[in-house]
Amino acid sequence: MNLFDSHAHLDDEKFDNDRETIIDEILTEMKGFITAGYSLQASREAVKLSKKYNDVYSTCGISPNDIPQSENEMWKSIDEIYKLVKENIDTEKIVAIGEIGLDYYWEKDLDRRDLQKKAFVRQIEIANELNLPIVIHTREAVMDTLEILKNNPVKRKGVFHCCPLNRELVKEALKLGFYISFAGPVTFKNSKNADEIINMVPNDKILIETDSPYLAPEPVRGTRNNPMNVKYVAMKIASVKSLSLEEVADITYENVKKCFDFFKVPVQH
């Protein structure tokens, strides 16, 4: 079946004891996955993993929750992300800049929020320079996220990862040409508007992910998540859209290839 996890974190320490075993199992059961960077170190590890395995791809970026405490250190980290991508882009295994964006859930300090905005804009510029899409993390920052995207157009667009179930965000994101990626929360029993939001997204703009090792979907909620659980997200979408699981797998697999424009050149090992 053409299941592909568009966003996971296999570099996370929760996989330290069995990473190789579980990746081998994933690649036996699925088409592959993208392991997403969120800090300089995580991005470096993501690139290493993607270069080690066929059908594993990576993204590089500094997420809003991983911005260094000082502005100088932030700019240094972003410069290092730029160098990392430039040095490895020819491998065809880095498929986006991300995850980047805004997160006001944890950050209440206005100066720190301003740093998030600066980091977001600079990494959009890097994506445009390198002709890559972006992977957006946004949490309780809908209006500022949309304003930045409207004022700083992204050439290759990209995806709202683990997209918040917010009608206005989804509507405007689709208008801007972005893909919408759903994760475990759409399966949660307390996710009241999941069906409505899923139905808002056209089939040609929908992606699926796990955000592993976090946000394990029902019926495995509360456990360490892994990319093989993306089938439960696909099952939820299939139920809402009156499709088969195989149809959702096929649709989202084609979409992830279009969104990230990979599989252009076979990777030789």
Side-chain angles (χ1 to χ4, degrees):
M1 193 182 304
N2 289 330
L3 286 170
F4 189 99
D5 185 351
S6 67
H7 192 107
H9 300 286
L10 268 293
D11 63 282
D12 191 277
E13 62 183 11
K14 290 182 174 65
F15 293 108
D16 283 353
N17 293 330
D18 61 352
R19 183 173 291 107
E20 291 189 2
T21 300
I22 200 160
I23 289 176
D24 287 342
E25 189 176 356
I26 292 163
L27 297 180
T28 299
E29 297 289 328
M30 297 170 54
K31 284 294 186 179
F33 63 89
I34 295 172
T35 189
Y38 52 86
S39 66
L40 178 56
Q41 184 58 32
S43 296
R44 286 171 172 159
E45 293 301 320
V47 171
K48 286 181 186 176
L49 275 179
S50 68
K51 291 166 72 175
K52 185 175 179 179
Y53 294 94
N54 282 322
D55 303 319
V56 176
Y57 299 82
S58 59
T59 72
C60 298
I62 310 290
S63 87
N65 292 320
D66 292 274
I67 291 171
Q69 287 300 307
S70 77
E71 184 166 354
N72 283 341
E73 287 302 314
M74 179 189 79
W75 293 127
K76 287 180 183 177
S77 293
I78 293 174
D79 284 345
E80 289 299 315
I81 288 287
Y82 177 77
K83 292 176 186 174
L84 176 66
V85 178
K86 282 274 285 184
E87 289 169 1
N88 291 279
I89 198 166
D90 288 344
T91 67
E92 303 283 345
K93 301 306 291 288
I94 300 175
V95 295
I97 299 298
E99 58 187 273
I100 62 175
L102 304 176
D103 192 324
Y104 296 167
Y105 180 80
W106 298 111
E107 190 55 77
K108 309 303 180 186
D109 182 89
L110 294 181
D111 288 338
R112 294 286 301 165
R113 288 185 178 185
D114 188 52
L115 282 187
Q116 288 189 15
K117 293 176 184 177
K118 290 178 179 178
F120 190 17
V121 170
R122 175 60 189 136
Q123 290 180 99
I124 289 173
E125 292 172 351
I126 290 172
N128 284 340
E129 179 183 337
L130 300 178
N131 196 33
L132 290 170
I134 63 173
V135 175
I136 303 167
H137 170 114
T138 183
R139 192 179 189 193
E140 296 196 5
V142 169
M143 298 313 295
D144 283 355
T145 300
L146 291 172
E147 182 180 8
I148 285 174
L149 292 172
K150 289 173 182 177
N151 292 334
N152 302 271
V154 184
K155 291 179 186 176
R156 286 275 313 280
K157 306 304 179 183
V159 59
F160 277 78
H161 113 83
C162 194
C163 190
L165 302 181
N166 178 293
R167 297 174 187 86
E168 186 66 17
L169 174 63
V170 171
K171 182 178 74 172
E172 293 301 317
L174 290 169
K175 280 184 185 177
L176 290 169
F178 286 87
Y179 288 80
I180 304 296
S181 183
F182 293 114
V186 297
T187 72
F188 296 170
K189 292 170 183 175
N190 62 351
S191 188
K192 296 178 181 177
N193 63 336
D195 290 17
E196 177 191 355
I197 299 296
I198 288 170
N199 274 322
M200 284 180 65
V201 182
N203 288 354
D204 64 353
K205 285 295 181 182
I206 197 165
L207 298 181
I208 53 175
E209 64 170 277
T210 60
D211 204 16
S212 300
Y214 314 105
L215 299 175
E218 299 287 357
V220 292
R221 190 174 181 182
T223 66
R224 182 189 71 172
N225 204 4
N226 79 75
M228 288 178 287
N229 290 331
V230 80
K231 65 186 176 187
Y232 297 116
V233 181
M235 288 166 66
K236 171 66 176 181
I237 293 167
S239 174
V240 172
K241 288 182 170 280
S242 298
L243 297 167
S244 69
L245 175 59
E246 289 77 10
E247 285 173 320
V248 173
D250 290 344
I251 288 166
T252 53
Y253 185 48
E254 289 305 311
N255 289 346
V256 80
K257 290 191 286 185
K258 291 174 186 173
C259 177
F260 296 107
D261 193 26
F262 54 70
F263 305 157
K264 295 178 296 184
V265 179
V267 177
Q268 301 298 323
H269 289 279

